[in-house]
Amino acid sequence: MNVSDKFAAARAQFPVTKRLLYLDSAHQTPLSTNVKAALEEFLSEGHEMGGPKPVWLRRAEETRERVAKFFNAAPAEIAFTKNTSEGLNIAANAVPLEAGDNVVLIEGDHPNNAYAWLNLKRKGVEVRFAKLKDDEIATAGTVAPYIDKHTKVVTLSHVTFHAGQVHDIGGIGKLCKDKGIYLVVDAMQSVGVIPLDVKALNISALAAGTHKGLLVPQGLGILYVAEGLDELQPTFLAMSSMARPPADYIARPEDLEVRKDAARFEFGNVNLPDLQALSSAIDLIESVGVPDIQKHVVALGGRLIKHLDELSVRLVGPREHGHRSHIYVLALPVSKWADFFARNLVRVSPERGGIRVSFGMFNTFDDVDRLAEIIRKGLKEDTLVAIEQVD
Ligand SMILES: Cc1ncc(COP(=O)(O)O)c(C=O)c1O
């Protein structure tokens, strides 16, 4: 199959594309037919057989291996969580930080990351926000002025939800490695869309949810913790975290040794239905491959930018090829355009800088052209204007 046939086959897995112009993958993925089938299989097993839990657990471990490959990590470096926030909070509380230490973030980055670290102000940890414009990406040069000898962590999104910037994690990772600083990455928006090699990027810990580029419903998160960072210890403990879980289910205070692998950060049962669905989602993603998904969404973005230029609608985030991926915020006032898009069966998100358009593996150039036509029509309506015309 050539690449365009592979994309056509992937699109056929998303019936939503027949009903809506779905341009909102940065909000949540629509479900593919094979993911729905995996969830239905899980439901039937639970419904008709009371659930073969050992089988589900075995499948979950197989999925852990597949997830690890996704990041060029080892299965022992992957823990399953509930969502991005949980993974980031686990990381924030696992890193040994003391009063007087500081953590560097990017101003305006996702609040779910910011709050995880701001909560440490109670311990006397300082949180520093590096300034960055929406059309710029963060590089080593962005964070370097905020770093001093008390800096222990740099943490940021890989791809930003609010402007679609693709930060230079490689450059920042190298700086962190040279200075002995932990790099914690929020990969919620990039996972499944941009290839992610945690080793090459020198990432210490990475957290993501799975309901966007990994194509499954909300409720499952992934936490990568690099092997060897044994000083990162869990704040929460359950039997699943322990090196020697007691066979008789009696907790003994004299044995509190936790596991060595990343599963020391897992507590209790994990989201088995979503993990089953994730395996099918990975089948679908791998039917095309993340490198081609990235190329595809960047090309769709290029086409969108051309249309925006013709329509004189400003793009809020970066235009440069290597600085953007699947998220494009259009400077159109939300108060007027959100309703217009809904009336025209276009699914997009309101964002702080305007209307956010985001692509998934199933979107096509034709989708982008249709969107441009709809915007053209909107701009002819008296009440609908672009932000520059309002200012
Ligand atoms: C960069 C980023 N981080 C985190 C989240 C969400 O966090 P959680 O998975 O905890 O709901 C989002 C969007 O939903 C996001 O875009």
Side-chain angles (χ1 to χ4, degrees):
M1 241 199 257
N2 66 29
V3 179
S4 57
D5 289 345
K6 287 183 192 172
F7 275 111
R11 183 173 172 96
Q13 286 276 334
F14 291 90
V16 72
T17 55
K18 295 201 181 80
R19 291 169 177 266
L20 292 177
L21 185 46
Y22 196 93
L23 299 167
D24 209 10
S25 287
H27 172 56
Q28 66 174 18
T29 183
L31 295 187
S32 63
T33 303
N34 76 329
V35 164
K36 178 169 175 268
L39 288 166
E40 282 170 351
E41 184 192 23
F42 186 95
L43 292 180
S44 300
E45 287 169 344
H47 189 221
E48 287 149 35
M49 297 187 282
K53 193 173 175 188
V55 175
W56 292 341
L57 291 173
R58 182 177 45 72
R59 289 186 195 143
E61 289 315 307
E62 287 164 7
T63 305
R64 193 190 304 272
E65 284 175 24
R66 301 190 75 186
V67 167
K69 270 202 192 128
F70 228 82
F71 296 117
N72 188 28
E77 295 175 306
I78 301 296
F80 294 125
T81 60
K82 186 174 74 177
N83 51 33
T84 323
S85 310
E86 189 173 86
L88 292 168
N89 274 275
I90 288 172
N93 288 282
V95 174
L97 292 172
E98 291 169 5
D101 290 339
N102 69 65
V103 176
V104 176
L105 284 84
I106 306 293
E107 194 172 65
D109 202 347
H110 202 285
N112 288 358
N113 195 19
Y115 287 126
W117 302 95
L118 284 168
N119 194 26
L120 301 179
K121 285 178 86 171
R122 290 188 299 170
K123 289 189 188 171
V125 173
E126 185 195 344
V127 175
R128 299 179 172 180
F129 287 104
K131 299 229 177 274
L132 190 73
K133 294 195 183 122
D134 281 348
D135 58 355
E136 295 170 344
I137 63 159
T139 63
T142 311
V143 292
Y146 297 85
I147 289 176
D148 62 18
K149 64 179 194 308
H150 299 292
T151 305
K152 294 285 156 49
V153 179
V154 171
T155 178
L156 74 171
S157 293
H158 185 190
V159 172
T160 70
F161 75 103
H162 66 282
Q165 300 129 297
V166 182
H167 292 323
D168 176 17
I169 300 296
I172 295 171
K174 186 172 178 313
L175 176 75
C176 289
K177 189 177 175 209
D178 291 348
K179 293 194 174 287
I181 294 171
Y182 297 102
L183 173 61
V184 177
V185 174
D186 172 350
M188 176 75 254
Q189 290 294 355
S190 59
V191 63
V193 182
I194 298 187
L196 250 165
D197 181 333
V198 285
K199 304 291 171 195
L201 298 172
N202 290 307
I203 295 174
S204 316
L206 170 148
T210 53
H211 65 277
K212 303 184 200 273
L214 288 182
L215 312 179
V216 301
Q218 285 85 347
L220 173 66
I222 291 163
L223 172 66
Y224 158 82
V225 179
E227 194 188 354
L229 297 183
D230 298 338
E231 70 282 14
L232 269 63
Q233 285 297 307
T235 301
F236 308 108
L237 286 188
M239 196 153 130
S240 52
S241 338
M242 307 312 288
R244 287 171 293 278
D248 57 4
Y249 278 64
I250 298 174
R252 295 189 174 76
E254 61 277 12
D255 187 5
L256 290 181
E257 190 181 326
V258 298
R259 299 169 65 124
K260 290 254 174 295
D261 59 16
R264 66 188 183 278
F265 296 109
E266 275 174 22
F267 40 102
N269 280 286
V270 291
N271 187 336
L272 294 175
D274 242 1
L275 278 166
Q276 179 148 322
L278 183 58
S279 185
S280 294
I282 293 176
D283 287 342
L284 183 54
I285 292 166
E286 287 181 346
S287 72
V288 177
V290 179
D292 278 339
I293 293 175
Q294 180 188 26
K295 267 192 222 151
H296 181 63
V297 295
V298 170
L300 295 177
R303 175 91 139 233
L304 176 61
I305 290 173
K306 261 194 180 160
H307 282 304
L308 296 180
D309 288 348
E310 277 165 28
L311 296 165
S312 300
V313 173
R314 182 173 59 86
L315 178 72
V316 171
R319 297 170 64 94
E320 218 174 295
H321 195 268
H323 293 185
R324 55 184 174 81
S325 73
H326 63 303
I327 297 178
Y328 298 87
V329 177
L330 284 39
L332 297 171
V334 170
S335 56
K336 302 194 173 194
W337 284 83
D339 180 55
F340 173 78
F341 283 125
R343 275 191 275 124
N344 283 279
L345 301 181
V346 182
R347 185 73 70 78
V348 286
S349 276
E351 198 40 76
R352 52 177 96 122
I355 295 286
R356 183 179 71 184
V357 169
S358 55
F359 301 119
M361 68 186 302
F362 50 84
N363 286 119
T364 59
F365 288 99
D366 187 47
D367 288 346
V368 182
D369 296 343
R370 276 168 61 205
L371 174 71
E373 267 324 296
I374 290 168
I375 297 174
R376 193 183 308 280
K377 192 172 92 180
L379 288 169
K380 286 189 188 139
E381 288 187 16
D382 282 353
T383 51
L384 292 170
V385 286
I387 282 175
E388 274 61 26
Q389 293 164 270
V390 180
D391 288 345

